[in-house]
Amino acid sequence: MDAMEPLGGAEFAPQQTYLNTSACALLPRRAIEAVTLLAEETAAGRPNGAGDFETVAEARATYARLMDVHPDRVAVGSSVSVHVGMIAQSMPAGSEILFPEGDFSSLITPFTIRGDLKTRFVPLERLAESVRPDTALVAFSAVQSADGRTADFAAIRAAAAAHGARTLLDATQSAGWLPLRAGEWDYTVAGGYKFLLCPRGASFLTVTEEAQDSLVAVHAGWVTGEELWTNSYGPVRELARSARRFDEPPAFLSYHGAAGSLALLEEIGIERIEAHNKALAARFRAGLVELGHAPVPDVSGVVGVPGLGDRQSALLSSGVLMSARAGNLRASFHLYNGSADVDRALEVLAG
């Protein structure tokens, strides 16, 4: 196979073979510089406090473009579980929530702790056919954390529409490398510190205008007002008319870094990153088969290899970083990887 060079140029400088973006991304240089600058300015006593809402708005707008949705449909926050918790607390008692078996805990647990919701779990490949008339919400990850499998978007969307169910797409393992249209789903959530290259503490929620009407802003505060600076004391007089009503107070250090990270993704292009990541993953799958292993069959940029989870420590000692998840060895490829990273990982596994 032809050699593939990393994307992103001097923005990244990994000191080992890093195939672990599904756990945490490498930060680009521009994000590090933005966080450092804000920290230094804050330590020196910057005039307007610990960060800029304009920079948060910039991150919101760039994320919206990456997800092909209007910025008014994007809320910012700190984590997927907080976003999902707001959706879970807004569901009427007795609602049925349908999940794939083995999906990520932060997508599931906010619903199960309610105690008065009906939760049902089915194999991922049967998710669409398992939607029924009393299903209120279908919640699933676009790419499964444990093994990299991708969901059948069109079938799930069609089944939910046919039965009047809302949809919640967790894009944490896909936003940043897989082209997505957030407006096709009632809700999407995405943790920023993986394929979106953001510092921890940046996370994004999208809400369609229709779904916004039934979503309760359970952690509303002064930043969620329609007029930002007129709600510091007493009750907020009017919540934002956009999805900003669902914002958490932004962690400015994270969002100053996120603005640069998201801009980098937009500059390179998600379609280009998708082709790059998938090509690296295909190279890795082919090499695994040659070594006698059986990776999970998919075209995802995340590769799960059943039964090889116990090799994670040996790989780490050889300078190759991957994850062990649910018994699988998990390799996740992103723009800063190249074919040399794939070949090095296969070399260590062969040894």
Short mmCIF file of all heavy atoms in Angstrom, two decimals, residues 29 51 63 65 105 192 271 274 290:
data_model
loop_
_atom_site.label_atom_id
_atom_site.label_comp_id
_atom_site.label_asym_id
_atom_site.label_seq_id
_atom_site.Cartn_x
_atom_site.Cartn_y
_atom_site.Cartn_z
N ARG A 29 -1.24 22.52 18.38
CA ARG A 29 -0.42 23.58 18.95
C ARG A 29 -1.23 24.85 19.19
O ARG A 29 -1.08 25.50 20.22
CB ARG A 29 0.74 23.86 18.00
CG ARG A 29 1.66 25.00 18.40
CD ARG A 29 2.28 24.78 19.77
NE ARG A 29 2.89 23.46 19.89
CZ ARG A 29 3.32 22.96 21.04
NH1 ARG A 29 3.18 23.66 22.16
NH2 ARG A 29 3.87 21.76 21.08
N GLY A 51 -12.20 34.89 30.62
CA GLY A 51 -12.44 34.40 29.27
C GLY A 51 -13.44 35.26 28.53
O GLY A 51 -14.00 36.21 29.09
N TYR A 63 -18.44 24.71 15.24
CA TYR A 63 -19.02 23.39 15.43
C TYR A 63 -20.29 23.24 14.62
O TYR A 63 -20.53 22.19 14.00
CB TYR A 63 -19.30 23.14 16.91
CG TYR A 63 -19.87 21.76 17.18
CD1 TYR A 63 -19.06 20.64 17.18
CD2 TYR A 63 -21.24 21.58 17.41
CE1 TYR A 63 -19.56 19.38 17.40
CE2 TYR A 63 -21.76 20.32 17.63
CZ TYR A 63 -20.92 19.23 17.62
OH TYR A 63 -21.43 17.97 17.83
N ARG A 65 -21.05 24.64 11.80
CA ARG A 65 -20.71 24.42 10.40
C ARG A 65 -20.21 22.99 10.17
O ARG A 65 -20.55 22.35 9.17
CB ARG A 65 -19.66 25.43 9.94
CG ARG A 65 -20.19 26.86 9.85
CD ARG A 65 -19.21 27.77 9.12
NE ARG A 65 -17.94 27.92 9.83
CZ ARG A 65 -17.69 28.83 10.76
NH1 ARG A 65 -18.66 29.69 11.12
NH2 ARG A 65 -16.51 28.93 11.33
N SER A 105 -21.82 4.18 28.72
CA SER A 105 -22.58 4.40 29.94
C SER A 105 -23.15 5.80 30.06
O SER A 105 -24.27 5.99 30.56
CB SER A 105 -21.69 4.11 31.16
OG SER A 105 -22.37 4.38 32.36
N GLY A 192 -15.99 16.90 23.38
CA GLY A 192 -15.03 17.57 22.51
C GLY A 192 -13.61 17.04 22.57
O GLY A 192 -12.81 17.34 21.68
N GLU A 271 -14.46 15.74 5.24
CA GLU A 271 -14.44 14.69 4.22
C GLU A 271 -13.02 14.19 3.97
O GLU A 271 -12.80 12.99 3.78
CB GLU A 271 -15.07 15.21 2.92
CG GLU A 271 -16.57 15.42 2.98
CD GLU A 271 -16.96 16.72 3.69
OE1 GLU A 271 -16.04 17.54 4.02
OE2 GLU A 271 -18.16 16.93 3.91
N GLU A 274 -12.06 12.08 6.94
CA GLU A 274 -12.74 10.78 6.87
C GLU A 274 -11.99 9.82 5.95
O GLU A 274 -11.74 8.66 6.33
CB GLU A 274 -14.17 10.97 6.36
CG GLU A 274 -14.92 9.66 6.18
CD GLU A 274 -16.22 9.80 5.42
OE1 GLU A 274 -16.35 10.76 4.64
OE2 GLU A 274 -17.10 8.94 5.59
N GLU A 290 -3.60 -10.57 7.90
CA GLU A 290 -2.37 -11.26 7.50
C GLU A 290 -1.68 -11.91 8.69
O GLU A 290 -1.03 -12.96 8.56
CB GLU A 290 -1.42 -10.29 6.81
CG GLU A 290 -1.88 -9.84 5.43
CD GLU A 290 -0.88 -8.91 4.77
OE1 GLU A 290 0.21 -8.70 5.35
OE2 GLU A 290 -1.18 -8.41 3.68
#
